[in-house]
Amino acid sequence: VTLLGAGGERLRLAAAPSLPAPFVERMAELPVAGPDSGLCGLAVSRGEPVIAQDLIADPAWEGFRDLYLAHGLRACWSVPFISEAGKPLGTFAVFSSGARAPSARELGAIEQFGHLAAIAVERKRTEEELKRSEERYSLAMEASEEGHFDWNVRTDEIFVSAHIKKVFGFPLDAGAVLIVELDGL
């Protein structure tokens, strides 16, 4: 699995559980375009699967031939995975020790794994962005010295900012969420 960097110009190897360490080191980061992009870079730049049935005989992979030979790799099938917005996120690739094309079933499985990888990557990025947003919001509230609270009327949970705790005399170490009982509501 490779992931596209923030600038969209480089792929970073994210997982390669069965590939040897020297191979992983050489492929750790590659450009998306150009002669050193490799199969995964080509798949991302084209936005479509790239199937190399024989990495040794195909002149397109001459720059990687010694690496492939040293590790007994003869074929590679790389499928880009795409965000919901249609932007490339990375690739899912499978290497084979024999020169061959993938079966329809193998290609379908690779595409499904790529789809699952896209979901996982988008979810992780969304969670990270939400965390950054919450941190910025919290810092802004602290800096403004304004208090706020949120009340979930279904559960009677109330989120209380540190400033509100100070104003109303709640202990600051009481936690951010208080459970209150409101009579008559």
Side-chain angles (χ1 to χ4, degrees):
V1 176
T2 66
L3 296 176
L4 191 60
E9 296 177 4
R10 301 197 67 76
L11 283 172
R12 178 181 47 83
L13 191 61
S18 61
L19 294 173
F23 184 87
V24 169
E25 288 170 17
R26 166 68 171 86
M27 304 300 275
E29 190 172 330
L30 296 171
V32 170
D36 293 331
S37 67
L39 211 68
C40 293
L42 188 59
V44 166
S45 67
R46 287 183 179 173
E48 62 186 35
V50 174
I51 308 299
Q53 295 181 34
D54 191 348
L55 294 164
I56 308 306
D58 189 335
W61 316 115
E62 190 167 325
F64 295 92
R65 185 170 287 133
D66 290 342
L67 183 67
Y68 296 142
L69 281 172
H71 300 291
L73 302 172
R74 291 293 303 266
C76 181
W77 319 314
S78 183
V79 175
F81 51 89
I82 311 297
S83 72
E84 286 289 322
K87 296 181 180 181
L89 297 170
T91 63
F92 188 87
V94 174
F95 286 89
S96 173
S97 60
R100 66 185 189 88
S103 68
R105 182 175 177 209
E106 290 169 325
L107 191 56
I110 294 167
E111 289 173 347
Q112 285 298 316
F113 287 131
H115 179 69
L116 292 173
I119 292 169
V121 167
E122 282 196 292
R123 180 179 180 145
K124 179 155 179 58
R125 289 180 179 173
T126 299
E127 288 171 354
E128 289 170 351
E129 181 56 35
L130 178 60
K131 183 179 178 182
R132 283 191 298 274
S133 176
E134 288 171 345
E135 289 169 353
R136 287 190 303 267
Y137 179 72
S138 179
L139 289 172
M141 290 305 296
E142 281 181 36
S144 70
E145 293 188 3
E146 292 181 13
H148 70 280
F149 72 94
D150 294 319
W151 176 20
N152 183 332
V153 294
R154 283 182 279 134
T155 64
D156 279 341
E157 288 181 320
I158 298 177
F159 172 84
V160 182
S161 70
H163 189 72
I164 290 287
K165 288 179 187 179
K166 286 180 195 175
V167 168
F168 290 102
F170 292 127
L172 292 177
D173 62 352
V177 177
L178 304 172
I179 305 294
V180 296
E181 291 197 23
L182 300 171
D183 292 329
L185 292 179

